[in-house]
Amino acid sequence: MVYSHTQISQYLRCPRSYRYRYLEGWREKETRAAMVFGRCFEKALEAYFCGDDCGAVLFREWGVYRGAPFEYKKGETWDRLIHQGVHLLERFAQDNRIRVPLPKENLQIKVTRECADGNDFVSYVDAIGELDGTRCLIDWKTTTSRYPEEPAGLLSLDPQLICYSWMTGISEAAFVVFVRKHHPEIQYLRTSISEEQRLEFGQLVETTISQIAAAQFPTHSGIRFPQNGCVSCSHLGLCLDDRKLIDSNLIRTPGAHELAWLDELVD
Ligand code: SF4
């Protein structure tokens, strides 16, 4: 079996949701414009580091979806997203705070690690490079709101960065957050992950995999209203046996588990 951070975090959020997604093949329809745009933007970033025309790449990638029946948030349009994207790419080039030497080798790096019982764990790290001269692993994020920076040290608890640090053995980690708002902004957030955190994460992975292997998939609906995870869960229709919700949010794909690691590419 091949596991990924997305799988482990989905199991920890709600084991039942994991079963729907990875064993039964129910996955969310790709209708959110912001998610698809984020992928196109990452292609443009790759082009930037390879010395190509990143604006043209963004137009080409996002242009494929012009007229696609996506869900746009209030005030968003295809044009608005492309303008925000170009603005962010220009700002990123002006800031000039990130270096990625040998971009063909240091972008979208596949890292594999062996776990117990012959299982593998796979991650795709967006980049390994330098932020303000410090070598670190880097994850790009596109979002409409700023990431919280307070209290100090908050980022060191981010499970995705801890996972990537565990996978690569690199302690320094950073999110580069492209904030798509009226005045686009880029946050450069760096943190250090300790050896203790990496060890603890490794134990969490082993425990989670053993629970999956033992077919433990109870519902875990989270905390009561208003922090009830079911409200934003794409599998809600399955738990409520609501055909309308299922049809509007989900599609069913065969062989879901074999392709589960692909989730890492869109995370
Ligand atoms: S709707 Fe709630 S209980 Fe059902 S899978 Fe989603 S989070 Fe779990």
Side-chain angles (χ1 to χ4, degrees):
M1 294 283 282
V2 180
Y3 291 94
S4 68
H5 172 257
T6 313
Q7 279 170 274
I8 298 297
S9 59
Q10 179 140 8
Y11 185 89
L12 293 172
R13 211 161 41 235
C14 176
R16 182 63 53 87
S17 170
Y18 178 96
R19 191 187 84 187
Y20 289 142
R21 166 70 186 85
Y22 293 105
L23 302 188
E24 298 180 9
W26 291 102
R27 58 186 308 164
E28 202 172 347
K29 284 183 183 167
E30 205 167 78
T31 54
R32 283 175 297 160
M35 205 174 102
V36 179
F37 180 78
R39 281 215 299 275
C40 298
F41 189 80
E42 288 194 12
K43 290 258 169 57
L45 282 175
E46 275 179 47
Y48 168 81
F49 287 110
C50 292
D52 299 331
D53 184 342
C54 53
V57 170
L58 184 60
F59 264 101
R60 188 189 68 213
E61 295 290 327
W62 184 230
V64 172
Y65 301 102
R66 194 170 207 154
F70 284 154
E71 285 168 24
Y72 285 91
K73 277 192 179 169
K74 196 164 173 262
E76 278 187 348
T77 60
W78 186 95
D79 287 293
R80 193 168 167 75
L81 262 66
I82 192 84
H83 282 122
Q84 287 174 335
V86 169
H87 195 145
L88 283 164
L89 287 170
E90 286 168 358
R91 171 69 63 85
F92 185 64
Q94 280 161 10
D95 290 348
N96 197 23
R97 294 177 63 181
I98 302 283
R99 297 247 180 286
V100 178
L102 304 173
K104 298 264 184 246
E105 291 165 32
N106 288 319
L107 290 169
Q108 277 296 317
I109 311 139
K110 182 180 180 184
V111 191
T112 307
R113 189 177 168 135
E114 264 182 46
C115 301
D117 301 325
N119 296 304
D120 279 336
F121 196 98
V122 70
S123 291
Y124 283 83
V125 178
D126 282 343
I128 293 177
E130 290 175 7
L131 166 56
D132 298 333
T134 301
R135 183 173 183 265
C136 57
L137 62 90
I138 301 167
D139 199 67
W140 320 121
K141 297 286 180 201
T142 48
T143 169
T144 49
S145 45
R146 301 181 89 250
Y147 271 37
E149 296 183 50
E150 298 288 337
L154 186 63
L155 193 67
S156 68
L157 302 179
D158 185 90
Q160 190 180 13
L161 291 183
I162 295 172
C163 172
Y164 290 172
S165 177
W166 172 68
M167 290 295 283
T168 59
I170 299 173
S171 338
E172 297 303 309
F175 277 150
V176 178
V177 186
F178 297 88
V179 192
R180 294 189 297 100
K181 52 182 190 170
H182 187 60
H183 294 294
E185 181 191 348
I186 304 173
Q187 292 175 280
Y188 298 88
L189 309 172
R190 189 159 68 76
T191 192
S192 295
I193 309 296
S194 67
E195 179 61 18
E196 191 185 350
Q197 284 177 292
R198 285 191 284 275
L199 284 173
E200 216 174 68
F201 187 81
Q203 284 157 6
L204 179 68
V205 167
E206 295 296 351
T207 309
T208 308
I209 290 177
S210 64
Q211 284 168 345
I212 293 169
Q216 300 289 314
F217 301 115
T219 53
H220 185 280
S221 50
I223 307 164
R224 61 197 281 199
F225 184 83
Q227 287 165 310
N228 185 334
C230 299
V231 178
S232 56
C233 176
S234 57
H235 296 127
L236 181 61
L238 292 166
C239 282
L240 298 180
D241 197 19
D242 181 327
R243 181 43 62 186
K244 211 168 139 209
L245 260 184
I246 294 171
D247 290 344
S248 63
N249 290 333
L250 298 171
I251 48 167
R252 195 164 189 184
T253 50
H257 214 292
E258 287 72 30
L259 298 174
W261 57 271
L262 282 172
D263 283 344
E264 285 299 288
L265 287 168
V266 296
D267 192 26

